[in-house]
Amino acid sequence: MSDGLDFEFLIDTFFVALSGVPIALLITVVSLLIALPLGFLLALTRINKIPVLNRFAQVYVSFVRGTPVIVQIFIIYNSVPLLLSSIFKEYGININVYEINPIWYAFIVFSLNTTAILIEVFRSSISTVSKGQLEAAQSVGLTNVQAFRRIIIPQTLVVALPNICTATVNLIKATSLGYALSLHEITLRAQVAANASYNYVEAYLDIFIVYLIICSLVEYLFKVYEKRLTKYKSAAA
Amino acid sequence: MLEIKDIRKSFGKNEILKGVDLKIDKGDVVVILGPSGSGKTTLLRCINFLEKADSGSALFGETEVNLGSASKKQIYQIRKKIAFVFQNYNLFNNKTALENVTEGLIIGRKVPKNDAIEIGKKALDKVGLSEKYDAYPSELSGGQQQRVGIARAVALNPDIILFDEPTSALDPELVGEVLEVMKNIAKEGTTMLVVTHEMSFAKDVANRVIFMDGGVVVEEGTPQEIFVTPKEERTQKFLKRVLPEDYTFYI
């Protein structure tokens, strides 16, 4: 170990860490694609107090929010293979569960997690759109689905967007826990590089910077999108 | 053209409509008066299925539907013949004035977009908002918003327009412009069912006035009959309360 920062290592490892970005983003995008519609639908069951589902969503949210993500990862990562292998054995399917790419577990954990967060985000934002908007849409002959797609959801999104942005950024950061699944994402790659030479400070600095860059970029994109969506509100100002 | 029979509606134990009958002919301008809580608004909302009645039937032209158990398809069918103007305007906040008017035409009634825009512009011209096609509701005054609301209803070319206290949420100085627009479309022969507290509108524009109280129709007749020679005591008391002593209709 040398004195001071090893700049060459710092720069080399930066690109090593950067090469983990696609996996981190893939997990983020897949999780959001699953969690956004699911969270929205479950939020509706909460608002409309649909018997069983409402209760389910409520319990689900408190379970997910009340436990650390890392523990959720351990539980899914260890229990799903057991479950699958017993199912596969039962039906004589010849797949080795221990050869499944760990990214699938990441998809499961992070979608489940983000869904819970988005249920709450949508629940509060949907209730800001007055019931009169739906009634007006019905009165001019729109079906409920059309009313939601064209009137309610666009207005809901405007209110929800800052919170969706926060959820997305949190999700990106949480993918760093993928190292527990031996996923070769940003954190694990830099860590492995550091293991060889004990340059941990440089490696962690790199990780720090990479997350900072992606998260800032994502926040910027959200801001641009928000500005476009709120056109109808800012018009008055 | 529209005949409602024995419509009933309760909210919990509170019976709001206790069997109301209503008959409206083409070209009628019917005003419903009554103290608050008398069920006027609920009656209107039940006709359009914004509220589901407990029982009752509606004969719409030749279509008869059970107001308590209509199918989704029937509801859409009926709604296509009715337009609704809300007390709080309920303009689509994320749409411009013109888009508010064309939304129901393009999406609800599958009118080709270009035709819809033409109809929409004409409707907005009619309510005096030619300059505001592209304004969002947040940029419009209450009176202007309600005029867009009326244009949205007129553009659908419905068999009847229901008005639910269209001027109650407006600042007093904005009431006039909305009433003016309503008078104009009444003159064109539009069939209207109006819940309002504007006695002058009832007197000048309606050809029939209905007085409701406690969930039933107490009295109905021409404006002359209701305002000048009311028969029922409840009607007389109500009018005494809402009309100043020395009120004359010709101010």
Side-chain angles (χ1 to χ4, degrees):
Chain A
M1 200 173 150
S2 57
D3 297 325
L5 287 179
D6 181 341
F7 279 102
E8 203 185 320
F9 180 83
L10 187 74
I11 291 165
D12 287 347
T13 312
F14 177 76
F15 289 103
V16 173
L18 209 57
S19 68
V21 170
I23 290 196
L25 288 186
L26 179 66
I27 297 172
T28 306
V29 169
V30 170
S31 304
L32 281 177
L33 284 181
I34 295 171
L36 281 170
L38 202 58
F40 188 83
L41 288 177
L42 286 172
L44 283 181
T45 69
R46 297 266 314 168
I47 288 176
N48 296 322
K49 303 218 164 34
I50 295 180
V52 184
L53 285 172
N54 167 29
R55 193 80 197 139
F56 165 78
Q58 202 179 355
V59 172
Y60 173 69
V61 167
S62 48
F63 263 74
V64 172
R65 275 205 307 204
T67 51
V69 184
I70 190 84
V71 176
Q72 295 165 14
I73 290 178
F74 287 144
I75 289 178
I76 298 278
Y77 195 32
N78 289 292
S79 63
V80 172
L82 288 177
L83 198 74
L84 282 180
S85 66
S86 69
I87 292 173
F88 288 167
K89 208 176 258 169
E90 182 84 23
Y91 293 97
I93 300 167
N94 197 12
I95 297 174
N96 185 351
V97 286
Y98 296 100
E99 279 172 10
I100 295 175
N101 190 329
I103 201 163
W104 291 100
Y105 298 110
F107 289 159
I108 297 173
V109 173
F110 290 115
S111 318
L112 291 179
N113 202 282
T114 313
T115 302
I117 290 158
L118 291 184
I119 289 175
E120 290 304 288
V121 168
F122 282 128
R123 191 164 70 97
S124 56
S125 56
I126 293 172
S127 43
T128 63
V129 180
S130 90
K131 199 160 174 274
Q133 295 286 313
L134 177 63
E135 290 182 350
Q138 290 172 336
S139 80
V140 298
L142 268 59
T143 62
N144 282 351
V145 174
Q146 288 168 336
F148 265 90
R149 216 185 57 228
R150 303 186 51 89
I151 311 293
I152 314 286
I153 292 179
Q155 292 182 47
T156 304
L157 261 189
V158 170
V159 181
L161 216 54
N163 287 327
I164 295 177
C165 177
T166 307
T168 307
V169 168
N170 281 340
L171 176 58
I172 293 173
K173 291 185 293 186
T175 59
S176 65
L177 296 171
Y179 79 86
L181 298 162
S182 346
L183 261 184
H184 287 261
E185 44 65 63
I186 302 163
T187 311
L188 187 68
R189 283 181 194 235
Q191 180 115 32
V192 166
N195 282 345
S197 59
Y198 296 100
N199 286 320
Y200 287 110
V201 175
E202 289 86 345
Y204 291 145
L205 255 176
D206 284 328
I207 299 171
F208 186 94
I209 295 168
V210 169
Y211 281 114
L212 190 63
I213 293 174
I214 343 176
C215 291
S216 309
L217 250 165
V218 167
E219 275 178 44
Y220 173 75
L221 290 177
F222 266 96
K223 214 159 259 164
V224 171
Y225 187 49
E226 196 182 330
K227 216 173 221 168
R228 245 188 53 192
L229 276 186
T230 48
K231 189 174 59 171
Y232 71 84
K233 272 191 178 166
S234 53
Chain B
M1 183 197 70
L2 170 64
E3 204 174 341
I4 307 278
K5 273 194 195 132
D6 199 28
I7 183 168
R8 287 168 190 277
K9 170 75 184 171
S10 305
F11 291 103
K13 281 189 180 153
N14 200 359
E15 199 176 14
I16 301 293
L17 295 177
K18 301 172 183 167
V20 173
D21 298 323
L22 186 68
K23 193 166 175 282
I24 297 172
D25 293 318
K26 198 169 161 41
D28 270 356
V29 176
V30 179
V31 167
I32 305 180
L33 301 176
S36 55
S38 56
K40 307 168 302 237
T41 291
T42 306
L43 173 64
L44 235 57
R45 291 170 59 85
C46 284
I47 295 174
N48 204 17
F49 297 98
L50 291 177
E51 216 69 73
K52 196 164 171 246
D54 299 332
S55 65
S57 68
L59 183 66
F60 222 115
E62 273 121 53
T63 351
E64 177 156 18
V65 286
N66 186 319
L67 289 170
S69 62
S71 68
K72 255 195 172 151
K73 203 178 153 204
Q74 284 176 317
I75 292 177
Y76 287 135
Q77 235 169 26
I78 296 291
R79 278 185 183 151
K80 285 199 173 153
K81 302 180 184 209
I82 305 176
F84 203 99
V85 175
F86 295 86
Q87 182 175 355
N88 299 315
Y89 337 128
N90 286 343
L91 297 186
F92 306 130
N93 291 323
N94 57 332
K95 306 265 173 200
T96 62
L98 184 58
E99 286 166 349
N100 260 281
V101 179
T102 57
E103 184 73 15
L105 292 168
I106 298 171
I107 307 300
R109 286 166 213 225
K110 309 275 177 281
V111 175
K113 199 173 168 191
N114 287 334
D115 299 353
I117 289 174
E118 200 160 306
I119 298 171
K121 283 182 175 168
K122 254 186 211 151
L124 284 172
D125 295 346
K126 197 182 279 182
V127 298
L129 291 173
S130 320
E131 321 261 285
K132 299 285 184 186
Y133 293 159
D134 297 321
Y136 284 98
S138 60
E139 299 170 280
L140 299 172
S141 73
Q144 290 170 331
Q145 288 191 52
Q146 191 58 296
R147 276 145 68 196
V148 175
I150 294 173
R152 177 169 72 178
V154 170
L156 296 170
N157 192 22
D159 292 351
I160 180 169
I161 304 180
L162 312 181
F163 291 81
D164 180 17
E165 302 195 22
T167 55
S168 298
L170 292 172
D171 291 338
E173 76 268 23
L174 301 177
V175 169
E177 61 186 76
V178 171
L179 289 180
E180 197 54 41
V181 166
M182 287 171 64
K183 273 180 201 168
N184 287 339
I185 60 171
K187 262 185 220 150
E188 288 173 12
T190 313
T191 313
M192 296 160 72
L193 178 59
V194 185
V195 169
T196 186
H197 296 292
E198 292 298 325
M199 297 300 152
S200 66
F201 182 83
K203 166 74 176 63
D204 298 340
V205 186
N207 63 338
R208 213 140 52 80
V209 177
I210 292 175
F211 175 69
M212 274 180 78
D213 191 14
V216 293
V217 172
V218 176
E219 190 170 353
E220 73 173 283
T222 62
Q224 173 82 10
E225 285 165 347
I226 296 291
F227 286 110
V228 184
T229 55
K231 292 191 210 74
E232 300 289 329
E233 198 191 333
R234 274 196 278 180
T235 317
Q236 293 162 0
K237 271 191 180 159
F238 173 77
L239 291 173
K240 212 170 201 175
R241 233 185 15 237
V242 295
L243 301 176
E245 288 286 331
D246 56 349
Y247 187 97
T248 65
F249 291 111
Y250 303 104
I251 289 173

